[in-house]
Amino acid sequence: MSILNRLHKLLGKAAGSVVVRLKQPASIGVKVMAFNDAGEVLLVRHSYRPGFMLPGGGVDAGETVRQGALREMEEEAGVTVSGNIRLFHAYLNREQGPRNHVVMFVMEGCARTRAWTPGLEIREAGFYALDALPETTTEATHRRLSEVLKGQPPSDFW
């Protein structure tokens, strides 16, 4: 029996929520729907997941979700923002676990501000016209685009 299970058994229900949080801590990630001045959307392709998707990642300790989103944009694609930054929605990402939440921002006025080359994590990153998205763009990305651009009500699930 694990130490956490023993603790739960010894302390009873009162410790239950603490044990659950220790076993499955909540995590918060960010995703960014970033548009350049031409109205193209930024997509990335990871080395470890199939398809093109919105850039994003985990929020670091001591970092706000907005700071995390801006950092991920720069790290993954060499892109910075000079325009509007808007919090769009928060989603539960059940694929990543029962306590994984993703906060999505919509950003305008985005541009690549440094030379970018593929790395170990991100194999491709670029701006794409909305009518010429890569064939392998993920379903979740298509759903988020419909929510933002077509006014479809946002799902609560990524």
Side-chain angles (χ1 to χ4, degrees), residues 74-141:
E74 208 290 317
E75 285 179 4
E76 291 192 354
V79 169
T80 60
V81 182
S82 62
N84 187 38
I85 300 173
R86 164 173 70 102
L87 176 63
F88 181 73
H89 195 69
Y91 303 85
L92 176 63
N93 186 354
R94 293 183 286 200
E95 183 181 304
Q96 298 295 317
R99 297 172 54 81
N100 182 282
H101 292 83
V102 176
V103 177
M104 190 175 89
F105 289 88
V106 176
M107 299 186 186
E108 299 167 355
C110 300
R112 188 162 277 155
T113 54
R114 66 170 168 85
W116 181 87
T117 55
L120 290 174
E121 181 185 10
I122 305 298
R123 304 307 300 155
E124 294 182 63
F127 286 96
Y128 295 89
L130 296 171
D131 61 354
L133 298 176
E135 218 174 276
T136 59
T137 300
T138 65
E139 287 302 314
T141 300

Side-chain angles (χ1 to χ4, degrees), residues 29-33 46 49 53-57 102-105 158:
V30 290
K31 286 286 190 177
V32 180
M33 187 175 294
H46 291 259
R49 297 177 102 180
M53 60 194 68
L54 301 172
V102 176
V103 177
M104 190 175 89
F105 289 88
W158 187 259

Side-chain angles (χ1 to χ4, degrees), residues 27-38:
S27 63
I28 296 180
V30 290
K31 286 286 190 177
V32 180
M33 187 175 294
F35 295 98
N36 64 14
D37 289 338

Side-chain angles (χ1 to χ4, degrees), residues 57-69:
V59 176
D60 290 343
E63 186 175 60
T64 68
V65 290
R66 185 177 188 275
Q67 290 169 330

